[in-house]
Amino acid sequence: MLRDMRTIPSSELIINGDGTIFHLHLLPEQISDIVMLVGDPARVDMIAAYFDERECEVESREFKTVTGTYKGRRMTALSTGIGTDNIDIVVTELDALANIDFATRQVKDTFRQLTLVRLGTSGALQPDIKVGEAVFSRTSVGFDGLLNYYAGRNDVCDR
């Protein structure tokens, strides 16, 4: 796959004075390949309580991040706050942290794919699913229309 080698201007990629990405205030090395996304910042501590050790903890507004290890596996717990707009910010900034060289502002030669796992509350239409039960889904339904603004929408949608 050919990579886009253009230099990404500061208007499209805001890097703070300390080298962190704008909203999340994270450095590229502070995220793992496995990222668990939760809405509420308090849930980050619930997840990180199971970590064997904590490598870093960063908080900025509604975004809280803890990276550590669980049973020898490095992972990140990260809150997104409320709404699809915040999730869009988080996922966009995670992609930048993984795949853009902050020193040159160019896309890295080697693509780093993150595994994003969404953990949170949900509703159910089935009467046999009780309040408080854990549900593992393979598909999600979005009524917000956000996906319509992304290239390749038809490749991932079951319309």
Side-chain angles (χ1 to χ4, degrees), residues 23-116:
H23 292 95
L24 300 179
H25 283 266
L26 293 170
L27 296 166
E29 62 270 15
Q30 291 178 309
I31 62 165
S32 68
D33 289 342
I34 301 169
V35 182
M36 290 172 286
L37 299 172
V38 298
D40 185 347
R43 287 195 196 121
V44 171
D45 287 325
M46 289 173 53
I47 292 167
Y50 291 94
F51 287 0
D52 302 318
E53 61 182 58
R54 294 180 184 206
E55 178 184 312
C56 74
E57 295 185 43
V58 177
E59 219 170 323
S60 175
R61 299 181 184 173
E62 65 271 28
F63 307 116
K64 181 170 185 170
T65 307
V66 176
T67 296
T69 56
Y70 174 72
K71 295 186 178 184
R73 195 164 200 179
R74 189 169 186 250
M75 51 187 57
T76 299
L78 171 61
S79 64
T80 60
I82 297 173
T84 55
D85 51 345
N86 277 17
I87 292 172
D88 184 44
I89 289 168
V90 169
V91 171
T92 298
E93 288 196 358
L94 283 171
D95 181 48
L97 287 163
N99 292 301
I100 296 174
D101 182 326
F102 279 22
T104 64
R105 294 180 162 275
Q106 291 188 341
V107 176
K108 294 177 183 176
D109 290 332
T110 305
F111 177 73
R112 178 180 173 198
Q113 183 171 335
L114 303 177
T115 299
L116 305 179

